[in-house]
């Protein structure tokens, strides 16, 4: 037995997962909020620094080098005061798209590369951005930019400086050419600082979480899991010890908590079980024996039945059985015999339950054996009756209807051993009353008779047991044969392929939930109308020719063409049976109707082209030649013929059409 996973481990893992998930979410949110607040604080800082730098700038005349140098020193002082990276004044040329550094101050975290490339007098080409232009063009009094350059990731604010002292330093001048003041703060160092701090916080949080989980796990293990495991182990020991007839040790009850109460309840339960277990063992043994017998009988019964639906090009068979108990005494069976004929039977054993199911299993085996031996329905019933009656200590009997349908000539041969009268759904509802012997299994030496009837395309043979017409509703009323015949008559117009569904639906409405009093079994054999194309999948055995003849017989062509098709099909099929395979193999015969009839023979035998070296009738040596004449006749009768070997298969196609005597009908 696979060892179960620990409840304690599951709880601890689940708790750890939940706590870690919450911690991760909280850390992420905290980092996000802190980051956003830091950015907002940086914006405020550089704004204040830029505004202060403007005040410094308006009091100087930037055309003098000494003045710019002094202003750069003032800017550096402001960088230290506001703890930012750069403050600078730039002159912008929108036409040339250049910016010229007039003065610049560096903070503590300014890079050496920036100090070289951003000194006063340096002209930078192609470095203008939209925010600088807005400020220069007086479209905005302040603009922010978040950039990542060769000097790192920075947050920048641009503000205009409109008024400055003129050259003699005596008065302010409102200049058209606006000087742009920029203040930058490096975000790279800020983010790294935040990340470093949060990594420490995350490590501490996860450590605290693991400590909490371990602590909770220890409490859970000693206070919950360990007592539960002890009780569970004792319960398992109780089951195994009872099977080995050993004494079971009682659980020790300590304290007055829930686990103590559980242990006390377990001890009481074992005492109660000990008092009842012997009686239960006896009852269980008897019940299990009965269930085992029913399962065996059910498996035997259902395994012997044919599939509920079998369909071919020329016919369709549908069966249905519903036992009144777990197993029943009804049976249906059908089989396509080696010569292409179709055997069908329905039977009903007297009684119910296991004995009836076993009797049914024996009956279905016998009737199948006699069908394979080629007996007529009457002889089947005679042999079947004698065998059952010779060994029948229980005095059971079985009503049986047996029929064999020959698709070659459309004849249904049948015999009846005391069974319900079947019906043929044709232009009208036809009961098969011609023969009716006694039920099988009672007396040896009984004789039975055969009767015959023709089935045409579209007809349906309907077989059933008395569980149908004798079905009861809650008021005790019977479904009745009259109601069944009425429903069958309506099925003629509605489409006979649905007869089982229609009858079952009407039965369900009639009984209206009442308990089923008998087994219900039905079987239909429907003769399909001829289609534009018929496909036969056969074995390469000459006795299967009857199926080809049956298919040709149903074709809507003249009798003379039908005879031509018989002759040609027989010649080709017999040759395949004789030479294609060392052992019987598969052959597909396809009949297609258009303005004539096309016949296609497909087999997986030895490669052979029957159209090669076809003799001319004038050259045929009737006295000494062996073979060849049949092929000559076949191909001379065909309007067209061709052969090909494709995908490991021989494919021969012949086409025949209705012709007048004066027509030249042969083409290659």
């Amino acid at each position: 037995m696979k060892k179960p996973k620990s409840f304690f481990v599951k709880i601890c893992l689940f708790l750890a997962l939940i706590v870690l998930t919450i911690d991760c979410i909280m850390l992420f949110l905290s980092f996000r909020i802190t980051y956003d607040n830091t950015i907002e604080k940086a914006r405020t800082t550089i704004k204040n620094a830029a505004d202060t730098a403007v005040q410094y700038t308006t009091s100087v005349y930037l055309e003098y080098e000494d003045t710019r140098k002094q202003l750069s020193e003032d800017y550096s002082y402001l960088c230290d005061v506001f703890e930012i990276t750069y403050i600078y004044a730039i002159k912008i040329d929108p036409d040339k798209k250049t910016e010229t550094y007039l003065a610049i101050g560096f903070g503590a975290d300014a890079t050496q590369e920036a100090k070289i490339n951003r000194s006063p007098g340096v002209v930078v080409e192609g470095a203008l951005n939209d925010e600088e232009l807005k400020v220069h063009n007086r479209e905005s009094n302040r603009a922010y930019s978040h950039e990542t350059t060769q000097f790192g990731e920075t947050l920048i604010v641009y503000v205009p400086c409109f008024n400055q002292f003129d050259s003699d330093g005596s008065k302010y001048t409102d200049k058209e050419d606006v000087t742009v003041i920029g203040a930058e703060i490096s975000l790279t160092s800020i983010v790294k600082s935040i990340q470093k701090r949060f990594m420490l916080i995350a490590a501490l949080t996860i450590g605290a979480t693991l400590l909490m989980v371990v602590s909770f796990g220890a409490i859970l293990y000693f206070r919950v899991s360990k007592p539960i495991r002890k009780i569970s182990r004792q319960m398992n020991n109780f089951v195994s010890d009872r099977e080995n007839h050993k004494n079971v040790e009682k659980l020790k009850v300590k304290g007055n908590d829930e686990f103590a109460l559980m242990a006390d309840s377990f001890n009481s339960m074992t005492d109660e079980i000990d008092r009842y277990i012997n009686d239960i063992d006896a009852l269980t043994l008897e019940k299990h024996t009965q269930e085992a017998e029913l399962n065996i009988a059910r498996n035997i019964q259902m395994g012997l039945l044919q599939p509920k639906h079998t369909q071919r090009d020329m016919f369709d068979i549908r069966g249905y059985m519903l036992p009144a108990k777990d197993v029943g005494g009804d049976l249906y069976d059908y089989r396509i015999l080696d010569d292409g004929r179709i055997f069908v039977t329905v039977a009903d054993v007297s009684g119910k339950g296991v004995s009836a199911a076993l009797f049914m299993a024996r009956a279905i085996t016998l009737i199948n054996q006699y069908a394979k031996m080629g007996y007529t329905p009457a002889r089947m019933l005679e042999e079947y009756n004698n065998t059952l009656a010779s060994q029948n200590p229980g005095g059971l009997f079985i009503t049986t209807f047996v029929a064999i349908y020959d698709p070659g000539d459309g004849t249904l041969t049948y015999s009846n051993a005391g069974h319900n009268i079947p019906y043929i759904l044709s232009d009208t509802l036809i009961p098969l009353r011609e023969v009716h012997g006694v039920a099988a299994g009672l007396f040896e030496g009984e004789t039975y008779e055969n009767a015959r009837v023709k089935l045409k395309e579209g007809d349906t043979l309907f077989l059933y047991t008395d569980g149908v017409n004798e079905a009861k509703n809650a008021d005790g009323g019977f479904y009745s044969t009259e109601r069944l015949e009425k429903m069958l008559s309506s099925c003629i117009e509605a489409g006979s392929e649905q007869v089982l569904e229609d009858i079952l639906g009407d039965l369900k409405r009639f009984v209206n939930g009442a308990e089923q009093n008998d087994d219900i079994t039905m079987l239909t054999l429907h003769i399909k109308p001829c289609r534009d194309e018929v496909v036969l999948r056969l074995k390469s055995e000459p006795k299967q020719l009857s199926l080809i003849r049956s298919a040709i017989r149903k074709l809507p062509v003249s009798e003379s063409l039908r005879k031509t098709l018989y002759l040609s099909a027989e010649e080709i099929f017999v040759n395949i049976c004789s030479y294609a395979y060392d052992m019987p193999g598969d052959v597909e015969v396809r009949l297609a109707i258009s303005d004539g009839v096309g016949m296609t023979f497909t087999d997986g035998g030895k490669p052979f082209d029957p159209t090669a070296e076809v003799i001319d009738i004038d050259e045929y040596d009737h006295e000494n030649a062996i073979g060849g004449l049949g092929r000559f006749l076949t191909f001379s009768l065909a309007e067209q013929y061709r052969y090909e070997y494709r995908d490991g298969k021989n494919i021969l196609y012949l086409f025949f059409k209705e012709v007048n005597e004066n027509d030249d009908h042969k083409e290659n």
Side-chain angles (χ1 to χ4, degrees), residues 306-326:
Q306 293 287 359
K308 292 182 178 181
H309 184 206
T310 292
Q311 182 169 275
R312 297 289 189 272
D313 284 315
M314 293 185 291
F315 62 86
D316 179 278
I317 301 176
R318 298 173 187 267
Y320 176 84
M321 188 180 78
L322 180 63
K325 296 185 177 181
D326 290 327

Side-chain angles (χ1 to χ4, degrees), residues 498-605:
Q498 297 297 317
V499 62
L500 291 187
E501 287 81 356
D502 292 343
I503 298 298
L504 286 172
D506 194 50
L507 270 173
K508 185 176 181 180
R509 288 189 295 272
F510 174 79
V511 299
N512 195 25
E515 183 179 358
Q516 184 180 340
N517 62 300
D518 199 358
D519 304 334
I520 295 175
T521 302
M522 293 181 284
L523 181 74
T524 60
L525 169 62
H526 176 65
I527 312 303
K528 292 184 176 181
C530 181
R531 302 185 302 174
D532 291 340
E533 183 177 74
V534 178
V535 180
L536 304 176
R537 292 176 175 84
L538 312 172
K539 287 293 183 183
S540 57
E541 299 175 340
K543 57 188 175 183
Q544 299 249 309
L545 268 171
S546 61
L547 293 177
I548 302 178
R549 294 193 189 100
S550 176
I552 294 174
R553 182 181 61 82
K554 295 181 179 181
L555 297 178
V557 297
S558 67
E559 187 61 31
S560 61
L561 179 55
R562 191 175 288 117
K563 290 179 180 179
T564 299
L565 295 172
Y566 286 153
L567 177 64
S568 301
E570 182 173 357
E571 171 65 25
I572 299 300
F573 188 74
V574 169
N575 280 340
I576 293 173
C577 294
S578 301
Y579 305 113
Y581 296 98
D582 295 328
M583 298 291 291
D586 296 326
V587 182
E588 180 185 276
V589 181
R590 187 180 299 268
L591 302 172
I593 303 173
S594 56
D595 55 343
V597 178
M599 283 200 304
T600 305
F601 295 84
T602 304
D603 68 83

Side-chain angles (χ1 to χ4, degrees), residues 93-159:
D93 187 341
D95 296 329
K96 296 181 179 180
K97 296 184 179 179
T98 61
E99 58 184 24
T100 303
Y101 285 90
L102 303 177
I104 184 167
F106 300 98
D109 53 353
T111 65
Q112 188 63 33
E113 183 180 6
K115 291 179 180 180
I116 295 173
N117 294 300
R118 304 178 88 174
S119 59
V122 171
V123 178
V124 181
E125 297 182 355
L128 295 180
N129 55 47
D130 294 340
E131 287 73 17
E132 289 176 280
L133 289 174
K134 288 179 182 179
V135 173
H136 176 269
N137 296 333
R138 305 191 181 198
E139 296 175 2
S140 174
N141 290 327
R142 184 175 290 106
Y144 290 93
S145 176
H146 190 166
E147 297 182 5
T148 300
T149 66
Q150 59 180 332
F151 310 121
E153 183 180 7
T154 58
L155 181 65
I156 311 171
V157 63
Y158 299 105
V159 295

Side-chain angles (χ1 to χ4, degrees), residues 99-370:
E99 58 184 24
T100 303
Y101 285 90
L102 303 177
I104 184 167
F106 300 98
D109 53 353
T111 65
Q112 188 63 33
E113 183 180 6
K115 291 179 180 180
I116 295 173
N117 294 300
R118 304 178 88 174
S119 59
V122 171
V123 178
V124 181
E125 297 182 355
L128 295 180
N129 55 47
D130 294 340
E131 287 73 17
E132 289 176 280
L133 289 174
K134 288 179 182 179
V135 173
H136 176 269
N137 296 333
R138 305 191 181 198
E139 296 175 2
S140 174
N141 290 327
R142 184 175 290 106
Y144 290 93
S145 176
H146 190 166
E147 297 182 5
T148 300
T149 66
Q150 59 180 332
F151 310 121
E153 183 180 7
T154 58
L155 181 65
I156 311 171
V157 63
Y158 299 105
V159 295
C161 181
F162 301 113
N163 300 311
Q164 295 177 3
F165 279 106
D166 57 13
S167 58
D168 59 6
S170 60
K171 61 178 179 179
Y172 284 107
T173 302
D174 186 359
K175 301 180 65 176
E176 290 185 17
D177 190 8
V178 176
T179 300
V180 177
I181 306 301
E184 295 185 17
I185 187 169
S186 175
L187 294 179
T188 303
S189 58
I190 295 175
V191 172
K192 287 182 179 179
S193 175
I194 295 173
Q195 290 175 341
K196 183 176 180 180
R197 184 166 65 253
F198 268 87
M199 289 296 293
L200 178 61
I201 294 173
L204 293 174
T205 302
I206 293 174
T209 299
L210 292 177
L211 179 62
M212 181 180 68
V213 172
V214 170
S215 301
F216 181 80
I219 296 172
L220 180 67
Y221 176 78
F222 288 105
R223 298 297 297 170
V224 178
S225 179
K226 189 174 181 180
I228 289 177
R229 291 174 64 184
K230 184 176 181 180
I231 294 172
S232 176
R233 183 169 56 251
Q234 196 70 2
M235 288 180 176
N236 290 330
N237 291 338
F238 172 76
V239 175
S240 59
D241 288 346
R242 282 296 307 170
E243 292 174 352
N244 295 314
H245 305 285
K246 297 179 181 179
N247 293 325
V248 180
E249 182 181 356
K250 301 291 184 181
L251 283 171
K252 295 180 180 180
V253 180
K254 296 180 179 180
N256 57 356
D257 58 12
E258 290 84 353
F259 295 108
L261 294 176
M262 186 182 296
D264 185 57
S265 298
F266 173 75
N267 291 333
S268 300
M269 178 192 70
T270 58
D271 293 338
E272 293 293 329
I273 290 176
D274 285 338
R275 283 196 293 268
Y276 292 108
I277 195 73
N278 293 328
D279 293 338
I280 293 175
D281 283 344
L283 293 173
T284 302
L285 178 61
E286 181 180 357
K287 181 179 179 182
H288 286 176
T289 301
Q290 292 175 351
E291 289 180 352
E293 291 177 351
L294 289 175
N295 285 331
I296 292 171
R298 184 187 302 111
N299 292 335
I300 291 173
Q301 183 179 38
M302 302 311 295
L304 292 173
L305 294 179
Q306 293 287 359
K308 292 182 178 181
H309 184 206
T310 292
Q311 182 169 275
R312 297 289 189 272
D313 284 315
M314 293 185 291
F315 62 86
D316 179 278
I317 301 176
R318 298 173 187 267
Y320 176 84
M321 188 180 78
L322 180 63
K325 296 185 177 181
D326 290 327
V327 292
D330 282 6
L331 69 87
Y332 73 81
D333 196 20
Y334 61 84
R335 191 169 301 277
I336 301 172
L337 303 178
D338 291 339
D339 58 4
R341 296 183 301 161
I342 303 162
F343 157 73
V344 294
T345 184
V346 167
D348 184 2
V349 180
S350 61
K352 306 286 184 299
V354 176
S355 59
L358 295 178
F359 195 81
M360 180 275 277
R362 187 180 177 205
I364 199 172
T365 303
L366 289 172
I367 203 71
N368 259 292
Q369 175 184 346
Y370 298 138

Side-chain angles (χ1 to χ4, degrees), residues 613-644:
E613 300 180 0
V614 177
I615 64 170
D616 189 278
I617 191 61
D618 295 332
E619 300 175 359
Y620 187 72
D621 186 349
H622 294 273
E623 295 181 358
N624 301 313
I626 299 176
L629 184 58
R631 280 191 293 151
F632 166 76
L633 291 174
T634 297
F635 297 134
S636 65
L637 292 171
E639 180 74 16
Q640 300 174 13
Y641 61 84
R642 63 176 179 271
Y643 165 83
E644 63 176 319

